Amino acid sequence: DAKTTQPNSMESNEEEPVHLPCNHSTISGTDYIHWYRQLPSQGPEYVIHGLTSNVNNRMASLAIAEDRKSSTLILHRATLRDAAVYYCILRLFQGAQKLVFGQGTRLTINP
Amino acid sequence: EAQVTQNPRYLITVTGKKLTVTCSQNMNHEYMSWYRQDPGLGLRQIYYSMNVEVTDKGDVPEGYKVSRKEKRNFPLILESPSPNQTSLYFCASSFDGYEQYFGPGTRLTVT
């Protein structure tokens, strides 16, 4: 399985944008980039996914590099409720069910 | 409300005593999975199912069994639990594999 590399932790301030980076230099052409987050004492929660183009939804934006070797999850205006561990995951198109979680980035939001 | 439910949420048991952790989803999803989460190892997939009567091994299936007799239910069975199966377990379901919905987790302790 292709691997992802994320910083162990990041810190930001409330109401400011947050850019969470992810490196995936061994990504293959059919790997989707997924982001999940896990709030304290909860199960993981889907955030966003993409293949080649940048994606936006109500929670976040996903910016994918042109060579697809890296991506960035953007929280446009962080709130205290966004404090969580964020996981960047590669998923094979054919492997519909397999998510391989890494260690993720622990995001702290300061009031 | 769309949700994945797991029972029990907490369980303390002894080595060798068979147990079942139930998982149920009300979204008519075809795909369901079980993961375990351990400190330093992240989330790892145990088993997954792509439809009724179709199951397959994930990355760490040893010591576990699953069944999928109905679309909504995907129980995890530990025939002879051992202390190394002490972990936090999550069930997940998905319509198309892109967005997985996770349950609240079951914290299992095997003494």
Side-chain angles (χ1 to χ4, degrees):
Chain A
D1 297 318
K3 295 188 70 174
T4 62
T5 304
Q6 300 176 252
N8 288 333
S9 62
M10 289 184 64
E11 202 169 321
S12 186
N13 298 318
E14 201 174 9
E15 298 189 4
E16 290 185 357
V18 180
H19 290 236
L20 295 161
C22 180
N23 286 320
H24 28 79
S25 58
T26 59
I27 192 170
S28 71
T30 53
D31 285 344
Y32 278 76
I33 301 159
H34 284 240
W35 284 82
Y36 280 73
R37 72 180 186 181
Q38 188 171 19
L39 279 64
S41 302
Q42 293 189 28
E45 174 187 31
Y46 168 84
V47 177
I48 201 167
H49 78 275
L51 183 61
T52 56
S53 305
N54 294 345
V55 184
N56 300 296
N57 66 19
R58 63 175 178 80
M59 288 182 70
S61 295
L62 175 60
I64 301 172
E66 197 168 330
D67 63 4
R68 299 207 331 123
K69 294 184 185 300
S70 66
S71 61
T72 302
L73 179 71
I74 303 165
L75 307 179
H76 294 285
R77 203 156 167 258
T79 70
L80 295 177
R81 288 174 295 178
D82 290 322
V85 178
Y86 286 79
Y87 297 98
C88 171
I89 301 158
L90 301 183
R91 186 180 69 84
L92 289 175
F93 176 71
Q94 289 85 3
Q97 273 303 276
K98 189 167 186 178
L99 296 180
V100 181
F101 286 77
Q103 296 304 305
T105 296
R106 182 172 298 278
L107 177 64
T108 300
I109 304 295
N110 300 314
Chain B
E1 180 191 353
Q3 59 181 354
V4 177
T5 57
Q6 296 179 226
N7 281 294
R9 294 288 313 278
Y10 302 91
L11 179 60
I12 300 175
T13 189
V14 296
T15 299
K17 186 176 181 182
K18 181 179 178 179
L19 67 91
T20 299
V21 183
T22 65
C23 173
S24 183
Q25 50 94 2
N26 62 0
M27 295 168 278
N28 202 36
H29 287 166
E30 291 189 348
Y31 302 113
M32 297 188 75
S33 292
W34 275 104
Y35 296 84
R36 61 178 288 175
Q37 185 170 31
D38 302 289
L41 296 175
L43 279 118
R44 295 176 291 169
Q45 192 178 50
I46 303 170
Y47 269 96
Y48 65 93
S49 169
M50 296 182 74
N51 213 328
V52 175
E53 302 292 0
V54 180
T55 63
D56 209 345
K57 297 177 181 178
D59 293 321
V60 288
E62 294 77 22
Y64 305 95
K65 286 176 60 176
V66 293
S67 69
R68 187 93 182 273
K69 292 183 170 50
E70 305 167 279
K71 200 171 190 178
R72 64 182 293 128
N73 296 323
F74 191 44
L76 179 69
I77 303 156
L78 285 71
E79 296 264 357
S80 182
S82 63
N84 64 12
Q85 292 178 298
T86 292
S87 188
L88 179 58
Y89 292 86
F90 290 102
C91 179
S93 75
S94 170
F95 172 69
D96 55 7
Y98 289 101
E99 181 176 348
Q100 293 201 19
Y101 292 80
F102 283 77
T106 295
R107 187 167 292 281
L108 172 65
T109 301
V110 183
T111 61

